[in-house]
Structures are given as C-alpha cells and as structure tokens.
Amino acid sequence: MVKHILDTPIEYLKGVGPARAEMLRKEADIRTFGDLLHYYPFRYVDRSKFYTVSEINSDSAWLQLKGKITGMQTIGTGRTARLVMTFRDHTGETELVFFQGLKWIKEKVFVGKEYIIFGKPNYFMGRYNFTHPDIEPADEEAQLQNEPLQPYYSTSEKLKSRGFTPKNFVRIMRTLISQVQRDIPEILSPRVLKEAQLMLRANALTNIHFPADIHSLGKARERIKFDELFFIQLQLLRLKYLRMEKVKSRKFSKIGDYFNSFYHNNLPFELTNAQKKVIREIRADVGSGKQMNRLLQGDVGSGKTLVALMSMLMALDNDSQACLMAPTEILAQQHYKTISRMLHGMPVEVALLTGSTKKSERNELHARLQDGRLQILIGTHALIEDQVQFHNLGLVVIDEQHRFGVAQRARLWEKSEIPPHILVMTATPIPRTLAMTLYGDLEVSVIDELPPGRKPVKTYHYYEKERLRVFWFLKEQIARGRQVYVVFPIINESDKLELQDLMDGFDTISRYFPLPDYHISIVHGQLKPAEKESEMKRFLEKKTQIMVATTVIEVGVDVPNATVMVIENAERFGLSQLHQLRGRVGRGADQSHCILMSSYKLTTDGKKRLETMVRTTDGFEIAEVDLHLRGPGDLQGTQQSGLVGLKLASLVKDEKLLKVAREMAYRVLDEDPQLENPENQPMVRYLQSSEFDWGKIS
Ligand code: ADP
Ligand code: MG
C-alpha cells in the first residue's frame, strides 16, 4: 500500500532534516507532513501595522513595535535568573523580560540594533512590560510585510533556538503547502458539503495558514471546526446505531417482588419527583428490548444511590444479576454498607469485591457469582478483572463515571453473552455541549432536585485576617456536636513543600483546638491505605471532630454529621473541585456551611470562581461558569477524553456549529446506517485513518 504523502515523516520536508524533526516532535508533537499541516496559526497579524510604546494602554491585545534595544541586564542567577532588556522607540521605553533560553537570546540580540518585537504587554507595578516577546532584527522582518494577514505560530524558546522562529515557521509552512496542496483529500460527502455549505477541505487547509482575505479565513475556520465536531458525532452515533441494530438485548419485562417489596416495606423515605422521573426513564429503557446506555447526572446528595439500587432490583426481578462499580475502595465499601442496610430483611445476596478482598473469600465469591446465587456485586475496578464471571449479568451501574472511559465500559459488556444494561452515574454536572460530545452515545437523565429538608450550604469568602473569627465559629459548631472538614490544596500529593503547608496548617489547628477537648484526623496521599482508612474511620465514628485533609476526600464520602467545610487557599482550586468539596457537607438536615479562605492576591478568574461559589449551589450553573472560564480541555473528566484534540472548535463558542454537525451526522446515518453508500466512503476512510484519533476519545 502506498502511504499517503501526508504520512511522510517531517524530516523529509525541505528545510527540516533529522535534528529539527526531533525537536518538532519533542516540543510540538509534530511527526509527519500531516501533523504540520494541522499545526494551525494561533493568530494572524496585520504586519503592516506598528504600535508605539506610548500607545500601549491595555494588556489584552498583541502588539507589534519597532525600536532599538538600549540596554540588557541579567538579574539573579541559576534557575531564577532573568534577562531584562530596555526597548526604546521615539515615544518612550518599555522592558522585555525573558526567563528561558537566556543564552540563546543573548547571542542573537545586540544592544544598539533595531528590532521588531511582537507580544502581549503585561501590567506590572504600574508599568507595562513584555514577557518573552518575539524579537526579530528589523531589516530581516521587512521582507514578510507584503502579506495582509500573516499567520502566527506558537513556538517555544527551544524551537526558536533550532531556527523555528515565527518567521521561519511561516517559510516552512509555505514549503509544505505548495508540496501537499493538490493531495489533500476531501473527506466529506458531496451531500454534507452542500447541505452544510462548507468550503472544500484542501481550500480550507490552505486558507487557514495563508488566508486570501478575512472572509476566506472565516470559511476556512468554519470548515475545519466542522470536521473536528462532525467526525466525533458521526463515530459516536454510528456506534449507537450499530449497538441498537445488532446488539441482542435482554428485556426486563416485569416489575416483581424484589422491587415492590422494597418499595412498600424498605424505602426509608418518599422518593423525590426527580428520582421517580429517572426511575421511570430507566424502567422504560430496560423494558424496551434494547440495551440501555444511560448517563444519570445528579448533583452530590441528590440521591443517586437509591436510584441505582431500585434499578438493580428490577434486574433481580427478571432473574438477572446486577453490579455496582465505584472508583475507590472507600466508596465501594460505603455503597456496600448503605445498600446492605437498605435491603435489611430482604432475601437478597449482596457482596463486596475490591482489591483487598482476601483470596479465599474471593474464590468463594466467584463461585457464588458464577452459579447465580450472588445477586448484587459491589466493588471497584476489581470487577472488570477477567476471572470475575457472572451467571447472568443484567445491569451494570457505574458510579462517578469520569474515572471510567468508554473502553472500560465496553469490557463490562463482555461479562455477559447478551450485553447488560448500563447505567452511568456522575455527580459532575456536565454542560450540554460537553455531554453531547463526551457521552454522545448515551441517553441522559438528570436528577435536578435535592431531597426535601435539605438546606443549601451557606457559603462565605474570608481572608486570612478573619481566621480567628472562623476558628471561633468552628468551636461553636463543634460544641453543638458537629464535625468539620479543613481541606488544603495539594496539587501534587508527593510534593514535599505542599505537604509542609498541610502540616503547618495542621499544627496551627492543633494549637487552637488542643487535646483533650478536641481530636483531629488527618488524611493525605502520603499515608498508607490502612492509615487513611483508620483516620477516616475515626472521623466517621465521631471520635474526631476535625478532619484535616487534601482533596483525597473529594469523592463520595458521606458523613452527614459534618456540617462545616473550610477550604484553605480556595483560590487555588478549580470550580468543579470546589463544588465537589462543598458537596461533602449539607448531607443531613442541619444547616451546613462552607468557608472559602483566600489570600488577598486574587486573579480575575480566581475572584470569579469564589464569587460563583458564594452566589450559587447549582452544579449546572457552576459547570457553565467553569466551562467559560477554563475551556473544556481542563474540565474534570475531559483530560483523557481527547477533547483536547479539538484544535479550533470550542465547546463554549461553537455550540451552534456542534448542533449542525450532530444533525448532519444523524442525516447521514438515517439514510445509510452502515455507511455503505459509495458517496460516504471518503468519510469512512477518514474515520479509519490515523488522522482521526478515536483512541484519544475513548
Ligand atoms: P449522591 O447522589 O451524591 O450519590 P446519595 O445517594 O449518597 O447521593 O444520597 C445522599 C443522601 O440523601 C443519603 O443520605 C440518602 O440516604 C439521602 N436520600 C436519598 N434520597 C432521598 C429522599 N428521596 N429523601 C430523603 N433523603 C434521601
Ligand atoms: Mg454517590
């Protein structure tokens, strides 16, 4: 098979060669002609326009200036060294600051010579400066100024030192385009092209690098974004169609004794309307004769466990087994306890299987599972191990979905000849656009109501100087028999400095809350699992009143008597994490409180995050703000998802285009579910090519 020209290793491009190819691979993950072709400019510059130092008045825009370097000074040594240059034009002077690649920059830039700089000014200590601007001798730059919109590629100091200055990037890109332009395949069917009114792909990929004009650039961007969104949708929906067409499925035709007896005798409280609605949706799915694949979104404390249990009882009523998978051992244990307690007095066989289940116990459990005596199995990842064989697995519930990928879900299906129904539960509310993309193959249910009597957690933002007041408040709460969490932002659990912060915090708290009146638990990632477990247990059993912890307590743990959550350096947490942490309190009927401690230095985003937390407890609203602040690439659960693979399309800004793309994918599949029509073959080939990296999405 002849390889496509776009698969040619990048070192064979004129002007690259092996050494630079290696650098491109390391610094920008560019390996082939195709990779480079998809390395889009991050902006376009009108290179005919120059600003002056006196015109700098905001730190939002990228500016191009022309002037002389009049001074150069290295400040500090070693890792903290920085290079400061003075840049002067006829209106004034500003500073250019460099932290990296000092040696190389010093060799290239000379005091007294004229340069063109390009960068984004920062406002610092009452003045503007430029950090790591691009800097080119003025005479060399002149030759590039005949293009109206010049592409601008992001590059690193390392790449620059290998000759990949922004200017050279443009040159190499021009070489590439002239070489591959005629070989860029069209990957959409004529019909989709026409109905969505899109620019041809070859045309778009040329114009994205070298726009003929602003209009062509717009069309080019639209086309490339469309492709990014459309093929994800096409793939997700195709899988869904295939599953619906092909997959044999079990039909839970009846509601029987297990469900009814639980409902009438064991249900500890009235179901909320939202719980009822979701149970009806699940009931309709499992009774339809098609495999259920449903995502259940519900804020922390909304009562998902009960929905899971009642769904599992539907399976039992239809002579099937059910399992519930949790992301951590503590959570699995907690589910096991809760569910065993709720089933009290009912003839249901439930067991727990985790990594620490003893071998003998495990063997016995496997046997009971295989002959069908064991009806509900609760556990961790241990459940997807190969030795675990079910007699007749009818329903799989996965809690806290974001930790399990599509691939892991698929492994669970294989546990049964006829694939089981799947219910995925998540407490991380996901904005609609993201859900459409991340879980495009799932139906979505939402529990949008908390159990009655739940008071929204009161949230406050305090600065350090108010600490004594906060401690006084904690004492008052503890005096009323309540318990308190104090959480520290440890990003890297093995970082000694951060651990020190935690220990210092622990010391301070121990001083204000001394023995014998107060007892304190501490949990962090450096503890052994057994130690962690025992500290958690002391808190659960109310032997300690304060739990000092890192975010290891973030997921799922349920201590209804804990009513206060103090989050230290709250500005360092992301919004969804703050929301998850706050969800640890407010689980009982008592008023709960969340106190966000912060330093005085807050970024605009940091301030916005804290304000949002104080303003609302609505997880969906918080998720929307988070999506806008951070972009989807950083949202919890999306890191592994390949959404970072969206280069141009944005789930925040391109909601409309995403809808068009999804609609187009539906139209294609409605007409040709197996994608067999000749005109759809280019799309099939693209889905199978290395360019479409589906692996990243699953
Ligand atoms: P999550 O959705 O976060 O998993 P849980 O299932 O742990 O929430 O439920 C949180 C708490 O609310 C539990 O203590 C549970 O017993 C209680 N709960 C669940 N449903 C109801 C209800 N309908 N009425 C009152 N309390 C409920
Ligand atoms: Mg839960």
Side-chain angles (χ1 to χ4, degrees), residues 301 304-305 331 335 399-400 425 427 556 587:
K304 295 186 292 295
T305 317
L331 268 181
H335 277 317
D399 195 10
E400 306 294 348
M425 307 196 294
R587 311 207 120 216

Side-chain angles (χ1 to χ4, degrees), residues 58 115 131 187 302 413 415 422 444 478 622 629 676:
S58 112
Y115 290 90
T131 307
I187 56 178
S302 60
W413 302 359
K415 293 279 171 196
I422 309 265
V444 178
I478 292 169
I622 289 170
L629 284 181
E676 288 163 339

Side-chain angles (χ1 to χ4, degrees), residues 269-272 275 299-306 451-452 454 558 587:
F269 23 60
E270 178 75 3
L271 294 174
T272 63
Q275 283 170 322
D299 227 331
V300 277
S302 60
K304 295 186 292 295
T305 317
L306 191 56
R454 222 40 94 63
D558 198 7
R587 311 207 120 216

Side-chain angles (χ1 to χ4, degrees), residues 14 30 151 188 201-202 216 260 280 320 395 474 521 623 645 677:
K14 191 167 158 279
I30 295 172
L188 290 178
R201 183 168 162 93
S216 317
N260 285 329
R280 272 199 299 273
S320 301
L395 171 70
L474 300 188
S521 295
N677 295 350

Side-chain angles (χ1 to χ4, degrees), residues 96-284:
L96 317 182
V97 186
F98 297 85
F99 300 98
Q100 278 162 24
L102 304 194
K103 184 163 164 284
W104 169 71
I105 295 164
K106 276 194 245 175
E107 280 167 14
K108 201 187 83 157
V109 178
F110 303 96
V111 173
K113 227 180 130 182
E114 190 167 50
Y115 290 90
I116 287 172
I117 65 159
F118 177 69
K120 218 171 151 173
N122 311 305
Y123 193 68
F124 183 66
M125 307 272 281
R127 307 177 48 173
Y128 288 100
N129 69 24
F130 289 81
T131 307
H132 279 263
D134 281 307
I135 176 162
E136 297 285 347
D139 45 350
E140 283 178 34
E141 190 72 7
Q143 25 172 320
L144 287 171
Q145 276 163 27
N146 50 11
E147 263 161 16
L149 290 170
Q150 203 187 313
Y152 207 87
Y153 299 93
S154 71
T155 175
S156 64
E157 292 309 321
K158 274 209 182 105
L159 278 169
K160 284 186 201 168
S161 73
R162 276 283 180 185
F164 286 102
T165 58
K167 188 181 53 183
N168 274 338
F169 241 119
V170 175
R171 276 203 196 111
I172 287 164
M173 206 58 91
R174 195 172 282 124
T175 309
L176 174 79
I177 300 274
S178 66
Q179 210 165 327
V180 304
Q181 201 169 17
R182 265 159 298 135
D183 298 303
I184 298 173
E186 183 47 64
I187 56 178
L188 290 178
S189 68
R191 183 179 153 191
V192 174
L193 274 174
K194 184 159 167 273
E195 288 183 10
Q197 302 186 340
L198 297 166
M199 189 183 231
L200 290 175
R201 183 168 162 93
N203 209 349
L205 285 169
T206 306
N207 271 285
I208 194 79
H209 292 289
F210 300 106
D213 50 47
I214 204 92
H215 175 73
S216 317
L217 177 60
K219 288 299 280 181
R221 287 178 60 86
E222 180 192 37
R223 168 63 206 264
I224 291 167
K225 286 181 187 179
F226 181 89
D227 286 1
E228 290 177 359
L229 299 167
F230 173 78
F231 282 97
I232 293 176
Q233 293 301 319
L234 188 66
Q235 182 75 341
L236 286 168
L237 295 175
R238 182 161 80 135
L239 291 179
K240 183 168 160 178
Y241 271 61
L242 283 180
R243 209 165 47 213
M244 279 166 27
E245 292 277 311
K246 287 220 174 125
V247 163
K248 270 199 295 179
S249 195
R250 50 187 80 236
K251 184 169 174 175
F252 292 170
S253 46
K254 63 169 192 264
I255 288 289
D257 286 347
Y258 287 113
F259 189 97
N260 285 329
S261 147
F262 177 82
Y263 190 80
H264 294 296
N265 308 324
N266 284 45
L267 197 61
F269 23 60
E270 178 75 3
L271 294 174
T272 63
N273 285 328
Q275 283 170 322
K276 283 184 194 160
K277 177 193 73 185
V278 169
I279 289 171
R280 272 199 299 273
E281 285 167 350
I282 292 168
R283 166 81 191 112

Side-chain angles (χ1 to χ4, degrees), residues 428-698:
T428 310
I430 302 162
R432 232 159 7 115
T433 49
L434 201 57
M436 251 196 266
T437 308
L438 264 182
Y439 307 112
D441 63 328
L442 303 179
E443 306 300 323
V444 178
S445 286
V446 179
I447 304 189
D448 49 7
E449 179 189 5
L450 293 179
R454 222 40 94 63
K455 301 188 185 74
V457 179
K458 282 193 181 150
T459 305
Y460 324 84
H461 172 202
Y462 284 122
Y463 293 104
E464 193 54 42
K465 72 165 194 248
E466 288 144 321
R467 178 168 296 279
L468 284 183
R469 242 181 95 194
V470 170
F471 279 174
W472 178 83
F473 176 73
L474 300 188
K475 284 192 174 163
E476 184 207 62
Q477 289 288 310
I478 292 169
R480 295 192 197 178
R482 309 273 175 265
Q483 288 165 289
V484 173
Y485 293 104
V486 184
V487 177
F488 284 80
I490 303 252
I491 313 306
N492 176 0
E493 293 269 357
S494 58
D495 186 323
K496 289 216 174 70
L497 271 177
E498 289 191 328
L499 196 60
Q500 194 52 49
D501 281 350
L502 176 75
M503 289 311 175
D504 291 348
F506 180 75
D507 286 345
T508 308
I509 293 167
S510 308
R511 243 183 302 145
Y512 281 93
F513 298 87
L515 290 164
D517 291 348
Y518 298 98
H519 297 267
I520 308 176
S521 295
I522 180 163
V523 170
H524 55 80
Q526 293 295 82
L527 294 181
K528 296 202 180 71
E531 294 173 307
K532 235 187 269 179
E533 206 82 1
S534 101
E535 289 286 300
M536 278 304 305
K537 216 166 150 212
R538 290 202 311 142
F539 189 64
L540 259 167
E541 289 167 355
K542 299 192 194 175
K543 291 187 179 133
T544 61
Q545 299 98 347
I546 302 177
M547 160 68 83
V548 174
T550 64
T551 53
V552 293
I553 59 141
E554 184 184 329
V555 193
V557 176
D558 198 7
V559 184
N561 190 50
T563 56
V564 185
M565 163 71 61
V566 179
I567 304 177
E568 299 284 348
N569 291 109
E571 75 276 14
R572 290 174 56 189
F573 288 99
L575 256 182
S576 74
Q577 219 175 5
L578 288 172
H579 180 64
Q580 290 290 315
L581 284 169
R582 182 168 59 183
R584 297 301 107 224
V585 295
R587 311 207 120 216
D590 299 305
Q591 179 64 56
S592 287
H593 308 267
C594 175
I595 298 169
L596 307 168
M597 300 295 297
S598 89
S599 70
Y600 290 95
K601 271 187 269 165
L602 288 177
T603 61
T604 319
D605 280 9
K607 204 180 263 167
K608 178 98 197 218
R609 287 197 295 270
L610 300 185
E611 278 167 13
T612 305
M613 288 298 293
V614 171
R615 185 185 75 236
T616 180
T617 53
D618 178 341
F620 282 93
E621 192 179 338
I622 289 170
E624 291 287 346
V625 176
D626 203 22
L627 186 61
H628 278 86
L629 284 181
R630 299 212 284 176
D634 289 331
L635 277 191
Q636 199 174 23
T638 61
Q639 287 93 335
Q640 339 79 302
S641 71
L643 282 181
V644 267
L646 294 180
K647 289 191 170 138
L648 284 189
S650 145
L651 295 182
V652 179
K653 295 182 196 137
D654 298 315
E655 187 172 345
K656 258 197 204 140
L657 194 63
L658 173 59
K659 280 191 189 138
V660 174
R662 190 166 167 92
E663 169 62 27
M664 286 294 157
Y666 266 123
R667 277 192 213 174
V668 170
L669 289 166
D670 276 342
E671 206 167 77
D672 180 15
Q674 312 276 354
L675 295 182
E676 288 163 339
N677 295 350
E679 80 152 37
N680 290 333
Q681 292 323 295
M683 304 197 285
V684 175
R685 274 197 297 277
Y686 180 73
L687 286 178
Q688 289 162 349
S689 75
S690 55
E691 246 183 296
F692 179 69
D693 198 349
W694 177 246
K696 282 193 204 143
I697 291 161
S698 55

Side-chain angles (χ1 to χ4, degrees), residues 11-30:
E11 64 171 289
Y12 298 116
L13 187 67
K14 191 167 158 279
V16 179
R20 287 171 149 200
E22 179 59 16
M23 189 59 88
L24 276 176
R25 188 187 61 73
K26 271 214 289 238
E27 292 283 299
D29 202 25
I30 295 172

